[in-house]
Amino acid sequence: MNVSGRPTRTIWPSADGTAVEIIDQTRLPHTFATVRLATLDDAAHAIRAMLVRGAPLIGAAAAWGLWLAIRANASDAALAQAHATLLTTRPTAVNLRWALDRVQAQLVRLRPAERAAAARVLAIEICDEDVALNRGIGAAGLPLVKAIAARKKLGEPVNILTHCNAGWLATVDVGTATATIYSAHDAGLPVHIWVDETRPRNQGASLTAWELLNHGVPHTVIADNAGGHLMQHGRVDLVIVGTDRTTATGDVCNKIGTYLKALAARDNGVPFYAAVPSPSIDWTVRDGVSEIPIEERSARELTHITGRLPDGLVATVALTPEGSPAANPAFDVTPARLVTGLITERGIAEASADGLQRLFSEK
Ligand code: MRU
């Protein structure tokens, strides 16, 4: 996507070939800053501290992390250690394990001297593939928006609600939930996006709003609790969210709060879709609620908030009484029965084992 008119990805190899560069997403929307990752520890820190975040980008960053590790030490032991280190950075997004396993499986077949070059090729491949998958999701989702637009008065926007950031910042480029949004907007369909702020880290208010603004997509930031009310009043035509892990049976694990949106959508007859690139499907899991590990993050993300002051400085302030405990589960699971469909790069699947099998019969 474009940042100040320049095509930009969220992760790329540095021009001098010795490191990887990323956008530091903890500083958006107030500052656009890039950071250089030169070591395995840099990559692990970037994922853990959420300088990079979003399931597909976490996978891509981990692949580059293996390259950084292998450059320093290409032995079998170092490869296994790097895989283990990166795997523990964040527990919920399955793309992390998917990318690490894919790179490791290729590298162990090679002699140590050949591994660094191969790891670099694989990381580039995973990044390019992510962009292609997302474009496929955009093409698959476009008819949904077209069908709603056709039922509306000429020029009346299709109102799409999205949660968290499943945009290009959560991927290498294009995004998953936003792939449909961008393809509809770029095709000239009038769309308007309700952007859930997504407490506690505010990925919606800080990141989705920033990227939609950059791309010129009409949008409105709303409090997380506003979605149900807007649905009751006919002001949401479609919900599209991303996913950190979707089970083989179509349960969708995504940012905390997604489940409540699905419940409200069902109660109001609003179609609820998840955008699901195939690396986000965990074919080994059948029951999302009991089997997917839900990341518990620091209470400080809830008890404090960061924002820009009138003088331009960015500051963090406390929100809750000192001494009140806070709990911060970062994801929840929306059962397949509440999901209208899964928008994948191969088309829209029914959210069920049969629906996914029909599109991914090789699994
Ligand atoms: O904690 P985050 O910011 O990594 O969580 C991101 C999400 O939950 C996204 O909605 C999900 O990864 C889908 S991204 C295409």
Side-chain angles (χ1 to χ4, degrees), residues 250-265:
D251 294 342
V252 173
C253 180
N254 192 50
K255 180 54 57 191
I256 192 80
T258 302
Y259 172 46
L260 287 175
K261 294 297 136 64
L263 285 169

Side-chain angles (χ1 to χ4, degrees), residues 25 50 53-55 90 161-170 176-178 181 193-212 222 224 239-244 254-258 261 330-331:
Q25 299 193 22
M50 293 178 65
R53 29 69 50 205
R90 297 204 59 197
L161 184 143
T162 192
H163 192 66
C164 193
N165 173 262
W168 72 268
L169 289 168
T176 60
T178 53
I181 292 167
I193 315 305
W194 295 114
V195 178
D196 280 353
E197 62 175 345
T198 319
R199 284 283 292 145
R201 286 189 69 105
N202 300 309
Q203 288 94 329
S206 300
L207 304 178
T208 306
W210 181 81
E211 61 166 271
L212 293 177
I222 52 172
D224 287 327
V239 179
I240 310 180
V241 299
T243 184
D244 293 84
N254 192 50
K255 180 54 57 191
I256 192 80
T258 302
K261 294 297 136 64
F331 299 93

Side-chain angles (χ1 to χ4, degrees), residues 90-288:
R90 297 204 59 197
T92 302
V94 73
N95 308 60
L96 177 62
R97 187 186 74 203
W98 170 85
L100 290 170
D101 287 355
R102 174 166 161 175
V103 176
Q104 189 184 42
Q106 301 274 342
L107 297 188
V108 288
R109 297 197 199 120
L110 303 175
R111 285 183 284 118
E114 300 166 334
R115 288 177 179 169
R120 185 181 163 86
V121 170
L122 285 164
I124 291 171
E125 193 176 284
I126 283 174
C127 289
D128 290 345
E129 199 177 287
D130 174 68
V131 180
L133 295 178
N134 297 337
R135 290 199 201 289
I137 288 173
L142 180 59
L144 291 175
V145 183
K146 273 191 179 155
I148 297 170
R151 299 197 294 269
K152 297 214 159 212
K153 288 199 203 100
L154 196 64
E156 202 184 310
V158 175
N159 289 297
I160 304 173
L161 184 143
T162 192
H163 192 66
C164 193
N165 173 262
W168 72 268
L169 289 168
T171 65
V172 176
D173 204 351
V174 180
T176 60
T178 53
T180 294
I181 292 167
Y182 290 133
S183 60
H185 175 80
D186 294 349
L189 292 170
V191 290
H192 164 260
I193 315 305
W194 295 114
V195 178
D196 280 353
E197 62 175 345
T198 319
R199 284 283 292 145
R201 286 189 69 105
N202 300 309
Q203 288 94 329
S206 300
L207 304 178
T208 306
W210 181 81
E211 61 166 271
L212 293 177
L213 193 67
N214 260 291
H215 199 73
V217 181
H219 64 281
T220 306
V221 179
I222 52 172
D224 287 327
N225 296 327
H229 164 77
L230 293 170
M231 289 183 211
Q232 278 178 329
H233 288 268
R235 298 176 69 190
V236 181
D237 298 303
L238 178 65
V239 179
I240 310 180
V241 299
T243 184
D244 293 84
R245 191 184 300 224
T246 286
T247 68
T249 55
D251 294 342
V252 173
C253 180
N254 192 50
K255 180 54 57 191
I256 192 80
T258 302
Y259 172 46
L260 287 175
K261 294 297 136 64
L263 285 169
R266 174 56 54 95
D267 193 45
N268 290 284
V270 175
F272 179 97
Y273 285 86
V276 185
S278 52
S280 299
I281 304 173
D282 188 341
W283 298 99
T284 69
V285 169
R286 296 194 69 79
D287 178 27

